[in-house]
């Protein structure tokens, strides 16, 4: 009898714990201030938008520049259009909004002039989309990068995707001469995708785990405004996703 009684007590405690866990997670899901934390493997936070510091939507341009073979040219085009707006979101032609409830203003910060994001599946900083404010610093960064094509090495360099990493490292870490040269040599000797990723990883050791570098921000994996479509076969999360890259079909939302 005593043994049976103990079993009932243990079972009752176990059921109570399950109920507590259920109500705890339910409260997180129902709390509108924390909805982005649900179903996300690590905490993700977005800015609370205030009317005082929010740029009006009609002052933010969304720009797609089509250029056959000359990838750097499109960044030159951006410098010509940016002065007409308070900010520009540059996106590749195969990037699309899947979650209209998100706002570009979430990405804006008064201390940041240009925002990039990390790709999920590699050490790359994505060049397919970035948000730039109409400031002299952002204009200088984009203009200088548009002219970086002449510095591409005779190797498997990855065009603008590969060039972005050494370009940003030279801008943000100008005194790390030894590390820069080591990574530059890796870029010059790159022969394939694996070499390209090795070069990119070399560059990322300079950045470490930080996200903000003066007026430049690089959003961590899973916190950016764009995610590659193929990672989830077009399925997207209403609590987390904003845009998908590489859209080849109508995306499906998870319930």
């Amino acid at each position: 009898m005593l043994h049976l009684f103990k079993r009932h007590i243990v079972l009752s405690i176990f059921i109570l714990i399950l109920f507590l866990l259920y109500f705890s997670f339910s409260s997180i899901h129902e709390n509108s201030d924390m909805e982005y934390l649900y179903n996300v493997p690590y905490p993700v936070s977005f800015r609370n938008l205030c009317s005082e510091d929010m740029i009006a939507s009609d002052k933010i341009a969304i720009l797609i520049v089509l250029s056959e073979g000359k990838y750097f040219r499109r960044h030159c085009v951006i410098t010509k259009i940016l002065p007409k707006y308070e900010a520009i979101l540059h996106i590749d032609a195969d990037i699309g909004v899947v979650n209209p409830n998100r706002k570009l203003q979430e990405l804006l910060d008064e201390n940041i002039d240009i925002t990039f994001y990390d790709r999920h599946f590699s050490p790359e900083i994505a060049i397919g989309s970035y948000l730039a404010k109409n400031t002299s610093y952002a204009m200088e960064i984009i203009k200088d990068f548009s002219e970086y094509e002449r510095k591409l090495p005779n190797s498997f360099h990855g065009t603008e995707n590969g060039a972005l990493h050494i370009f940003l490292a030279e801008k943000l870490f100008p005194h790390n001469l030894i590390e820069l040269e080591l990574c530059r040599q890796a870029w010059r000797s790159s022969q394939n995708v694996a070499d390209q990723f090795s070069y990119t990883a070399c560059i990322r050791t300079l950045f470490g785990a930080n996200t903000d570098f003066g007026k430049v921000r690089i959003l961590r994996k899973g916190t950016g405004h764009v995610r590659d479509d193929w990672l989830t076969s077009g399925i997207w999360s209403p609590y987390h996703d904003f845009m998908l890259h590489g859209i080849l079909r109508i995306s499906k939302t998870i319930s």
Side-chain angles (χ1 to χ4, degrees):
M1 287 292 293
L2 181 60
H3 179 69
L4 184 61
F5 177 74
K6 288 182 178 180
R7 288 184 60 185
H8 281 294
I9 292 295
V10 171
L11 181 60
S12 300
I13 294 175
F14 178 71
I15 293 174
L16 178 61
I17 292 174
L18 288 178
F19 271 109
L20 290 175
L21 288 173
Y22 171 78
F23 286 115
S24 296
F25 281 107
S26 297
S27 64
I28 290 176
H29 181 56
E30 293 169 0
N31 188 332
S32 59
D33 294 332
M34 300 183 69
E35 63 179 359
Y36 291 110
L37 304 184
Y38 191 73
N39 280 339
V40 179
Y42 41 83
V44 177
S45 61
F46 297 95
R47 293 183 61 225
N48 292 321
L49 302 179
C50 301
S51 57
E52 299 87 32
D53 62 359
M54 185 166 58
I55 297 177
S57 296
D58 61 352
K59 299 296 183 181
I60 304 176
I62 300 177
L63 184 63
I64 300 174
V65 181
L66 302 178
S67 178
E68 185 176 355
K70 294 289 184 179
Y71 297 107
F72 289 87
R73 181 183 296 173
R74 57 182 182 170
H75 305 290
C76 181
V77 173
I78 291 170
T79 64
K80 304 300 182 182
I81 300 177
L82 181 54
K84 301 178 181 179
Y85 297 89
E86 291 190 37
I88 274 184
L89 176 73
H90 153 65
I91 59 174
D92 280 345
D94 58 349
I95 290 177
V97 174
V98 293
N99 188 355
N101 294 319
R102 296 285 304 278
K103 292 181 178 293
L104 291 176
Q105 285 87 343
E106 296 172 6
L107 304 173
L108 295 170
D109 188 304
E110 61 181 355
N111 299 314
I112 301 296
D113 285 357
I114 186 164
T115 300
F116 299 94
Y117 73 94
D118 277 337
R119 299 190 80 176
H120 277 67
F121 69 94
S122 74
E124 287 181 284
I125 303 168
I127 189 59
S129 179
Y130 57 80
L131 182 68
K133 289 161 62 174
N134 182 5
T135 65
S136 57
Y137 181 80
M139 286 286 289
E140 178 186 347
I141 289 288
I142 300 171
K143 180 179 181 297
D144 289 352
F145 182 65
S146 71
E147 299 172 352
Y148 210 81
E149 185 175 21
R150 66 191 67 176
K151 296 184 178 181
L152 292 177
N154 183 23
S155 68
F156 191 91
H157 49 66
T159 62
E160 58 173 355
N161 294 285
L164 176 65
H165 298 81
I166 189 67
F167 170 78
L168 287 178
E170 290 172 351
K171 287 288 186 181
L172 302 177
F173 309 102
H175 304 298
N176 293 63
L177 300 179
I178 295 177
E179 293 89 342
L180 285 172
E181 185 56 30
L182 286 172
C183 296
R184 199 176 286 115
Q185 288 294 338
W187 192 36
R188 291 170 181 163
S189 60
S190 174
Q191 298 297 315
N192 48 51
V193 174
D195 291 345
Q196 183 70 15
F197 281 171
S198 295
Y199 145 71
T200 305
C202 177
I203 290 290
R204 296 311 298 269
T205 60
L206 285 169
F207 289 84
N210 298 323
T211 58
D212 292 357
F213 307 89
K215 296 181 180 181
V216 175
R217 173 169 290 171
I218 303 171
L219 296 171
R220 293 175 179 167
K221 296 180 187 296
T223 67
H225 54 290
V226 180
R227 179 176 59 75
D228 287 289
D229 167 82
W230 62 267
L231 290 170
T232 54
S233 300
I235 297 174
W236 58 274
S237 168
Y239 306 111
H240 185 44
D241 285 317
F242 190 175
M243 306 178 191
L244 292 183
H245 169 248
I247 294 179
L248 299 177
R249 68 189 77 81
I250 297 176
S251 297
K252 299 176 292 182
T253 182
I254 62 172
S255 58

